Amino acid sequence: MEKARQPPRTSRHLSVTEPSPWVRRFAALVPKGGTVLDVACGGGRHARHFLGLGYAVVAVDRDVGPVADLAAEPKAEVVRADLEGGDPWPFAGRTFAGVVVANYLHRPLFPLLLAAVETGGVLIYETFARGNERFARPRNPDHLLRGGELVDLVRGRLQVIAYEHGIVQRGPIPGVIQRICAVNDLDAGTRGDGEPEPHRVDPA
Ligand SMILES: C[S@@+](CC[C@H](N)C(=O)[O-])C[C@H]1O[C@@H](n2cnc3c(N)ncnc32)[C@H](O)[C@@H]1O
């Protein structure tokens, strides 16, 4: 396994360089040889993790300073874009083996994120949820998922492999967190009962 690259450290969220345990847990479900999109990548801790696992990565953020070093990596693409209306969606017509979103929520992107998961690809999404406002930022409900919201997002589109919503005390960023891992293979089943093939819930 290659060594994960480390970002320069300049601001609070960038001080967390360790990948999320949820993302690490499900990384192995992402089809090998594919490209992983790290949405609102910050310091690129997840893009770096997947690079270290041998995947090609695309890291997008409105501030790409903290991932500028990745531009020198042959298997990394860094895209600067305002994902909240300032710029068109930079990946129109492109799909990815993995779409990773961590600690970022802009609901109008949901349809674009779903459409960006290639057939057989994986969505790994984790961010703060209602209840977090009692402990820490973010407190704005616009930035907090409602109960079941990520399940509702993927229902009928992706196969849910794992979902959680609750207080996370261990890990780099504690809080009330909702997280999902889901695979775009609902239409690929060969079982005869309409059910998709199961995946490992402990692939790491
Ligand atoms: C809390 S950080 C999370 C960073 C990274 N996903 C992680 O988990 O380490 C939120 C990120 O969203 C990015 N962001 C906020 N608004 C954005 C926008 N309108 N367009 C693109 N990126 C944005 C910020 O620049 C920041 O890097």
Side-chain angles (χ1 to χ4, degrees):
M1 187 191 301
E2 295 172 42
K3 208 164 170 241
R5 285 78 169 162
Q6 292 304 312
R9 296 173 59 169
T10 49
S11 78
R12 203 173 73 91
H13 74 266
L14 299 176
S15 68
V16 178
T17 57
E18 184 188 328
S20 145
W22 187 257
V23 174
R24 291 172 66 112
R25 175 177 164 188
F26 292 107
L29 287 187
V30 177
K32 298 284 177 281
T35 299
V36 176
L37 175 65
D38 186 358
V39 177
C41 63
R45 60 188 173 128
H46 297 122
R48 294 170 200 278
H49 181 64
F50 279 97
L51 258 185
L53 295 175
Y55 293 87
V57 300
V58 177
V60 60
D61 203 287
R62 68 181 173 189
D63 175 9
V64 293
V67 285
D69 59 302
L70 289 181
E73 296 282 345
K75 293 179 82 171
E77 181 183 342
V78 173
V79 176
R80 196 207 63 76
D82 177 356
L83 298 173
E84 299 182 13
D87 295 310
W89 174 243
F91 308 111
R94 277 182 84 177
T95 56
F96 299 88
V99 174
V100 175
V101 192
N103 300 343
Y104 179 72
L105 177 62
H106 181 59
R107 292 182 172 87
L109 289 180
F110 280 175
L112 296 164
L113 296 174
L114 274 187
V117 182
E118 71 185 26
T119 301
V122 182
L123 173 69
I124 305 175
Y125 201 141
E126 166 182 77
T127 195
F128 297 99
R130 299 288 167 98
N132 193 70
E133 70 282 351
R134 281 187 279 152
F135 300 106
R137 289 187 299 150
R139 294 191 166 88
N140 180 342
D142 288 347
H143 299 148
L144 298 173
L145 288 162
R146 295 182 289 273
E149 192 169 356
L150 291 177
V151 174
D152 292 341
L153 168 66
V154 306
R155 193 183 309 281
R157 298 283 301 275
L158 308 182
Q159 177 187 182
V160 177
I161 308 304
Y163 167 81
E164 292 182 349
H165 177 137
I167 300 168
V168 175
Q169 287 182 314
R170 294 196 197 95
I173 307 177
V176 177
I177 288 173
Q178 185 175 134
R179 46 203 189 181
I180 200 164
C181 171
V183 177
N184 183 10
D185 64 355
L186 284 183
D187 299 329
T190 54
R191 291 166 42 90
D193 62 359
E195 291 292 324
E197 292 296 331
H199 294 275
R200 287 186 62 172
V201 295
D202 56 354

